Amino acid sequence: MVDILELIGPLPSVSTPELRAIVVTAINGSTTINGTSGQLGNSTDTELLLALRRWSDVVLVGSSTVKAENYGGVKVSPEIQKQRQELGQEAIPPIAVMSGSLNFDVDTRFFLEAEVPPIIITDNSDQTKQQRLVDAGAQVIEVETLTAEVGVEKLRSLGYARIDCEGGATLYGQMLGADLVDVWHHTIDPTLSGSVERPTVKGGDDAPRRFALEHVFVDDDSTLFLRYKRAK
């Protein structure tokens, strides 16, 4: 059994900006098997996901992922909430979503179960759509241009230094294309299928980015945990 802190690795100070991405895939790079991600990963992977949420100031997720995975709000124990506040962080990190359409079902866990208001960053100036989400409990932030750089810059301006990016593939592509990913956590499930149903990254540019391998751990069930840091 590995210490989750070993998988997370060295941490800069709370006030130091850092963006970490986390993904679980099959051996062939697919983020789904038979149409879902539920078969991928194990309990260690789940604990790593939860630990990165506890580390973060904000969890950044693509709108398609929020809808497909039926996201709810982040859950943090009272003890962890107290520890976070002692470090100068908010008790519970909000979930932030970038959306151009603002087409959300407000009768979902994302709105109904969130203990803190979700943040929706948009370039959509439709005040009717915005107000509908505000009435459902969201904080809507309008920007001139909806890009990865603008979204991260806006979150940082709100005081969110530590950003935990949970995908999906399009958001990962945008983040990598903008050189915004500092640490990449990649869990490889020992499953192999004949096709890649959903790629890890899509929609970004073709320029390669170099990352340096920082840590490797193999669980008893052959699940592989890799941590890469952006090469300088």
Side-chain angles (χ1 to χ4, degrees):
M1 184 67 178
V2 67
D3 184 346
I4 295 300
L5 293 179
E6 183 181 333
L7 298 184
I8 291 178
L11 296 177
S13 65
V14 173
S15 60
T16 301
E18 186 171 72
L19 189 148
R20 294 188 175 223
I22 180 169
V23 64
V24 57
T25 71
I27 296 173
N28 63 0
S30 180
T31 58
T32 63
I33 296 292
N34 296 324
T36 73
S37 61
Q39 299 181 50
L40 298 174
N42 60 8
S43 59
T44 304
D45 178 62
T46 299
E47 182 52 38
L48 175 60
L49 174 73
L50 296 177
L52 284 175
R53 288 183 170 188
R54 293 192 294 268
W55 160 84
S56 73
D57 293 319
V58 63
V59 177
L60 180 59
V61 192
S63 59
S64 295
T65 300
V66 165
K67 297 167 187 175
E69 301 290 341
N70 191 25
Y71 261 61
V74 175
K75 303 293 184 183
V76 179
S77 70
E79 180 183 1
I80 297 299
Q81 289 184 39
K82 182 179 179 181
Q83 292 175 8
R84 287 172 57 86
Q85 290 173 316
E86 290 173 349
L87 290 172
Q89 295 177 289
E90 294 182 0
I92 301 174
I95 294 180
V97 178
M98 299 199 306
S99 171
S101 69
L102 295 182
N103 292 331
F104 290 90
D105 181 355
V106 297
D107 295 318
T108 57
R109 296 179 60 239
F110 184 64
F111 295 96
L112 300 177
E113 296 184 11
E115 294 187 46
V116 294
I119 299 170
I120 300 175
I121 303 172
T122 186
D123 59 355
N124 190 327
S125 60
D126 188 322
Q127 294 302 304
T128 300
K129 284 191 171 184
Q130 288 192 21
Q131 190 59 49
R132 178 171 175 269
L133 300 179
V134 170
D135 291 343
Q139 177 184 1
V140 178
I141 300 174
E142 185 177 338
V143 295
E144 193 168 315
T145 306
L146 191 63
T147 65
E149 297 97 323
V150 170
V152 169
E153 180 181 335
K154 180 57 67 174
L155 291 174
R156 294 261 162 81
S157 73
L158 296 173
Y160 301 128
R162 293 176 166 183
I163 299 176
D164 170 29
C165 186
E166 296 184 358
T170 300
L171 183 57
Y172 286 145
Q174 294 171 353
M175 293 295 158
L176 289 169
D179 288 321
L180 293 170
V181 178
D182 298 302
V183 181
W184 181 271
H185 294 270
H186 197 139
T187 301
I188 300 179
D189 185 277
T191 303
L192 187 60
S193 63
S195 65
V196 176
E197 293 180 351
R198 293 184 183 176
T200 306
V201 178
K202 70 176 181 180
D205 60 43
D206 294 328
R209 270 76 181 178
R210 295 289 299 181
F211 281 74
L213 182 63
E214 273 197 331
H215 187 263
V216 178
F217 170 73
V218 182
D219 225 334
D220 292 340
D221 63 358
S222 294
T223 301
L224 177 64
F225 294 84
L226 305 171
R227 187 180 73 247
Y228 290 90
K229 191 174 184 66
R230 180 170 53 183
K232 297 181 179 179

